[in-house]
């Protein structure tokens, strides 16, 4: 019988865990089992976790102080090697934890083997990963705040810049560009809130749960939790090593933020098109065509829109991994990191690009105002006037306004170009005062209710947004 080509006869077992094994893994098994290709990104967190664990072991007299000091010095050397790019990561050692431990033993000898006392890779990776996600949340919160700042600045600049508001992508009522941009400030504020909530919930420390059942050594879990900036240790050792709710919650918040970015990106794609002509994106965030010299393609916005799918996909991928796992740890959990890493990287890049586009875009105010004045956008203002001044019920006023819109359409004119006599044939109670509400500027200025689009409301909202978010 032919030997499996993936098997290497005599291949040694991993010396850090292979006492139970007479031979090493098949080559294909080694490749599928190794995670060092991506979990090396946990290096800083892994060393921080090891330092805290070592100091606790010394304080509890679980390992000799001499050995503990040697371990700490060795970890300092390894940290510098990794930061400088001189550290040699080895696939045969599977993951970041065993790469660091093997190097530690090579540097300081058998004392390095004491570091793993009273811990498992299960609680070690759970702790490292929480630290990484916590750092990622802090970075993304900063990026979201910068984007909010860019949007608020443009909203203040364009507090009175008229544009059409849309429903169903059909012209609805006049609004201001400032009001429109502040809607996204609110969305991204909620995204920051969700990320903050996720951070608060993940800030419990798994370290000390060991493989799944805790440890018989007299460890001090509160000390390691405090040293690593956690609020407290996790309460249940089984949950500590197997929980990835924090990663799913992070991905859920990231997916929602990416969806909001995608919506804004879609608007920039539309607004920068010739058919809209509302904004112009500079050379910094557009590309040309290899064939058509006249083209200016909004590729920055299009790619932000597309990359939202990658973040949503990461959430789905990890949800599927988690849905069928019994307690406690299973190797499936090795698949938790790549979706999280990719989502965090993708969202960070998309935020940077969007922030640049918002700050950089040129607004065509005249084109926006012309669009706001067209398409009968003040029909609702006409109906409201009929309620206030002519005493009609709103439903009756709605019907009269609809008839006047139909008349204007048939004549190819704006609402304010329909003659008073013609309007009075439809509703005799209409007076010339109605023309005071049929302009887009007056329409927007009249929307003074809380949260409305009136320029003075927008300027007040800008001031409040700065206080709330920046």
């Amino acid at each position: 019988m032919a030997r499996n080509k993936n098997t290497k006869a005599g291949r040694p077992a991993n010396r850090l865990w292979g006492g139970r094994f007479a031979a090493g893994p098949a080559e294909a098994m080694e490749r599928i089992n190794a995670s060092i290709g991506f979990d090396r990104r946990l290096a800083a967190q892994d060393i921080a976790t090891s330092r805290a664990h070592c100091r606790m072991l010394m304080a509890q007299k679980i390992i000799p102080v001499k050995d503990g000091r040697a371990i700490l010095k060795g970890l300092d050397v390894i940290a510098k090697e990794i930061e400088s790019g001189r550290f040699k990561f080895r696939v045969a050692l599977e993951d970041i934890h065993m790469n660091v431990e093997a190097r530690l033993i090579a540097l300081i000898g058998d004392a390095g083997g004491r570091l793993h006392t009273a811990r498992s890779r299960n609680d070690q990776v759970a702790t490292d990963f929480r630290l990484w996600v916590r750092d990622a949340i802090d970075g993304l919160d900063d990026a979201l705040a910068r984007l909010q700042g860019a949007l608020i600045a443009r909203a203040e600049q364009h507090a009175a810049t008229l544009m059409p508001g849309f429903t169903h992508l059909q012209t609805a009522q006049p609004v201001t560009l400032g009001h429109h941009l502040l809607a996204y400030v609110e969305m991204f504020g909620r995204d920051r809130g969700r990320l903050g909530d996720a951070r608060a919930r993940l800030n419990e420390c798994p370290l000390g749960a060991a493989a799944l059942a805790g440890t018989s050594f007299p460890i001090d879990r509160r000390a390691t939790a405090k040293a690593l900036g956690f609020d407290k240790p996790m309460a249940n050792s089984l949950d500590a090593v197997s929980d990835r709710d924090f990663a799913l919650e992070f991905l859920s918040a990231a997916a929602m933020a990416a969806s909001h970015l995608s919506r804004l990106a879609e608007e920039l794609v539309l607004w920068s098109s010739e058919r809209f002509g509302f904004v112009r994106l500079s050379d910094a965030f557009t590309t040309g065509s290899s064939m058509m010299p006249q083209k200016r393609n909004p590729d920055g916005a299009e790619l932000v829109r597309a990359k939202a799918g990658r973040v949503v996909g990461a959430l789905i991928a990890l949800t599927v991994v988690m849905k069928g796992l019994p307690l406690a740890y299973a190797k499936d959990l090795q698949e938790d990191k790549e979706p999280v890493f990719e989502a965090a990287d993708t969202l960070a890049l998309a935020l940077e690009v969007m922030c640049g586009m918002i700050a950089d875009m040129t607004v065509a105010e005249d084109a926006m105002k012309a669009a706001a004045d067209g398409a009968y956008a003040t029909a609702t203002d006409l109906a409201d006037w009929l309620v206030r001044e002519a005493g009609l019920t709103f439903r009756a006023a709605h019907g009269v306004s609809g008839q006047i819109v139909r008349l204007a359409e048939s004549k190819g004119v704006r609402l304010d170009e329909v003659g008073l006599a013609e309007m009075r044939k439809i509703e005799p109670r209409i007076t010339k005062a109605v023309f005071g509400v049929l302009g887009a500027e007056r329409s927007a200025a009249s929307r003074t209710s809380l949260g409305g689009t009136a320029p003075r409301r927008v300027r007040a909202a800008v001031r409040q947004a700065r206080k709330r978010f920046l």
Side-chain angles (χ1 to χ4, degrees), residues 170-396:
Q170 305 295 311
T171 299
Q173 292 178 270
V175 297
T176 67
L177 177 58
H179 188 60
H180 193 109
L181 295 177
L182 286 176
Y184 284 99
V185 172
E186 295 297 322
M187 293 183 209
F188 295 127
R190 292 193 295 272
D191 292 327
R192 292 178 66 190
R194 278 182 281 270
L195 286 169
D197 290 344
R199 191 192 194 284
R201 266 186 291 278
L202 73 77
N203 209 37
E204 297 182 0
C205 187
L207 196 61
L212 76 161
T215 178
S216 58
F217 289 96
I219 62 172
D220 184 349
R221 292 191 63 206
R222 289 182 177 81
T224 48
K226 182 178 179 180
L228 292 168
F230 289 106
D231 296 329
K232 60 184 177 181
M234 293 187 72
N236 183 283
S237 60
L238 288 165
D239 182 47
V241 299
S242 62
D243 168 59
R244 294 298 183 271
D245 288 0
F246 67 94
L248 288 168
E249 191 169 3
F250 166 71
L251 289 174
S252 178
M256 200 168 295
S259 296
H260 290 152
L261 282 173
S262 181
R263 295 181 71 180
L264 180 52
E266 168 66 6
E267 299 211 286
L268 292 182
V269 171
L270 291 171
W271 292 355
S272 63
S273 69
E274 291 181 6
R275 295 294 177 265
F276 277 76
F278 288 178
V279 301
R280 179 182 175 87
L281 301 176
S282 76
D283 294 355
F285 294 100
T286 57
T287 65
S289 166
S290 63
M291 180 180 179
M292 295 167 284
Q294 83 282 8
K295 292 294 293 299
R296 177 187 292 274
N297 299 322
D299 284 7
E302 290 174 351
L303 287 167
V304 168
R305 183 177 61 186
K307 285 187 179 295
R310 299 176 74 95
V311 182
V312 174
L315 171 61
I316 300 303
L318 185 54
T319 301
V320 172
V321 169
M322 295 301 301
K323 70 175 183 61
L325 296 187
L327 293 178
Y329 183 85
K331 195 69 171 185
D332 309 54
L333 293 176
Q334 183 167 288
E335 295 299 307
D336 59 358
K337 293 165 207 65
E338 287 183 288
V340 169
F341 292 160
E342 181 180 18
D345 292 346
T346 300
L347 183 55
L349 178 58
L351 284 166
E352 183 180 354
V353 171
M354 182 58 74
C355 191
M357 287 190 292
I358 293 299
D360 184 70
M361 68 182 183
T362 300
V363 176
E365 296 185 28
D366 290 343
M368 282 191 167
K369 185 178 186 306
D373 277 326
Y376 314 108
T378 57
T380 304
D381 298 274
L382 173 57
D384 289 346
W385 185 91
L386 288 167
V387 171
R388 285 194 307 269
E389 305 299 329
L392 276 67
T393 66
F394 182 78
R395 191 53 54 207

Side-chain angles (χ1 to χ4, degrees), residues 16 92 132 295:
L16 295 182
W132 193 95
K295 292 294 293 299

